[in-house]
Amino acid sequence: MRPDAPTRGSLGTPDAHARATLGKAADENFPVAPFFVPRAWREGLMAVYGYARLVDDIGDGDLAPGGRDAAFLGVAPERADDRLALLDAFEADLRRVFDGTPRHPLLRDLQPVVDRHRLTPEPFLGLIEANRQDQTKSRYATYEELLAYCELSANPVGRLVLSLTGTSTPERVRRSDDICTALQIVEHLQDVAEDLGRDRIYLPAEDMERFRVSESDLAAPRAGASVRSLVAFEAERARDLLNEGTPLVGSVRGRLRLLLAGFVGGGRAALGAVAAAGFDVLSSPPKAAKPRLLREVGAVLRTAPREG
């Protein structure tokens, strides 16, 4: 065993460095890999989450201090803060998942999942490309541009969930894309202030102009009326997408139905928290409490149209 390999026998006992990344799952709007799903699914979901979380941390500059991730990826210490260099090295390590032995512990965790479920590189590469785009593009002129970004940054995750559970069909992928895009938009709404601190704005410029919102308005400690109106408008778009995707829940059975209801319910609960804050997302990121999440999941299970 390499000296830097995680001391683990399965994904259930990763090393401390990997655990720090996987532990961020508790902060998501929806349950990532709940206890009720089969163990093989849970391990697969956590492996995919670890991958997605790590690539986002690279793109956001949120890696743990000390440069250990850069060392795992073979990036020289003097380039440990070069996000594009790290993303290039991460892509090279991802390709080793499919034709060799990856270096990073989280990618080693991913390899047996890829093999077991015959996953392809494309969705994983999409997440890397989204983070590359974040290094070069910080504003979106139109809603259509934002949707194209979500196609890379969010939709691959839902497609991977369907592949992991053996339930992928063209119609389910379409519904899943709607849900994942909605969840990404909701996250953008919650994180307007944080994103601005990174010099990124995911609110379409055409909508900001329509509601007479300037970038300086987004830097205020509290949202004014125009910002609240803009956020309410984008939240309604996200809700419409969630509603379009909800039939996905009714198209499956058993524990997968409950898992997917958790994703949709999590998005609806987050939107409820944004509305409860009066659409003021600048004072602090609105987050849904667990009781609201559980209520929304129950509502999805009761009302999701059944298909097939």
Side-chain angles (χ1 to χ4, degrees):
M1 178 182 292
R2 290 168 42 131
D4 57 359
T7 55
R8 49 173 289 285
S10 72
L11 189 64
T13 55
D15 73 354
H17 188 72
R19 281 200 306 272
T21 300
L22 296 173
K24 296 180 181 181
D27 298 326
E28 302 295 340
N29 284 323
F30 49 84
V32 172
F35 70 92
F36 57 78
V37 300
R39 180 177 178 180
W41 288 8
R42 190 162 60 250
E43 291 186 352
L45 290 167
M46 286 307 296
V48 167
Y49 176 79
Y51 175 90
R53 183 68 269 162
L54 181 59
V55 72
D56 280 355
D57 285 350
I58 293 172
D60 291 342
D62 285 341
L63 292 176
R68 195 172 179 201
D69 290 291
F72 277 132
L73 296 172
V75 176
E78 62 270 18
R79 302 194 70 191
D81 293 327
D82 185 336
R83 299 180 194 178
L84 286 172
L86 286 167
L87 288 169
D88 288 346
F90 192 67
E91 179 177 336
D93 210 29
L94 169 68
R95 294 188 185 279
R96 294 185 194 100
V97 169
F98 294 89
D99 61 14
T101 302
R103 298 171 176 173
H104 199 287
L106 287 172
L107 291 183
R108 290 190 214 124
D109 285 335
L110 182 64
Q111 190 168 43
V113 174
V114 164
D115 292 344
R116 186 182 310 125
H117 298 280
R118 299 181 180 179
L119 304 179
T120 63
E122 285 74 22
F124 298 103
L125 290 169
L127 296 173
I128 294 175
E129 193 56 37
N131 279 276
R132 282 202 183 99
Q133 184 169 309
D134 277 333
Q135 311 313 309
T136 59
K137 186 179 179 67
S138 60
R139 306 291 189 275
Y140 291 83
T142 66
Y143 183 59
E144 287 69 29
E145 279 190 11
L146 185 65
L147 293 181
Y149 171 76
C150 293
E151 175 71 17
L152 296 172
S153 68
N155 297 358
V157 176
R159 296 180 187 189
L160 284 167
V161 170
L162 294 177
S163 295
L164 285 172
T165 57
T167 55
S168 184
T169 67
E171 177 62 13
R172 284 176 177 152
V173 166
R174 185 178 73 82
R175 300 288 191 184
S176 171
D177 285 353
D178 286 337
I179 293 170
C180 290
T181 293
L183 293 175
Q184 180 75 90
I185 292 173
V186 173
E187 184 177 334
H188 287 160
L189 295 180
Q190 292 172 306
D191 295 342
V192 168
E194 179 182 333
D195 289 335
L196 187 63
R198 304 180 194 274
D199 191 31
R200 297 177 188 165
I201 296 176
Y202 295 103
L203 299 167
E206 63 181 5
D207 297 340
M208 291 177 62
E209 182 178 355
R210 172 183 173 183
F211 287 92
R212 296 183 172 85
V213 171
S214 67
E215 292 193 13
S216 61
D217 292 327
L218 301 181
R222 298 183 65 85
S226 57
V227 172
R228 292 172 190 248
S229 296
L230 171 59
V231 171
F233 175 74
E234 305 299 350
E236 190 60 28
R237 278 178 158 169
R239 188 174 297 280
D240 289 344
L241 283 169
L242 279 177
N243 290 340
E244 284 293 313
T246 297
L248 174 64
V249 178
S251 75
V252 299
R253 298 292 180 266
R255 286 176 281 188
L256 179 57
R257 189 165 184 261
L258 185 54
L259 175 67
L260 297 181
F263 296 161
V264 175
R268 290 183 176 180
L271 285 171
V274 170
F279 302 101
D280 178 8
V281 295
L282 302 183
S283 300
S284 63
K287 297 288 185 180
K290 189 173 182 179
R292 180 190 289 270
L293 170 62
L294 294 176
R295 287 196 301 272
E296 291 291 355
V297 171
V300 172
L301 288 170
R302 289 193 303 272
T303 61
R306 291 184 179 270
E307 296 183 354

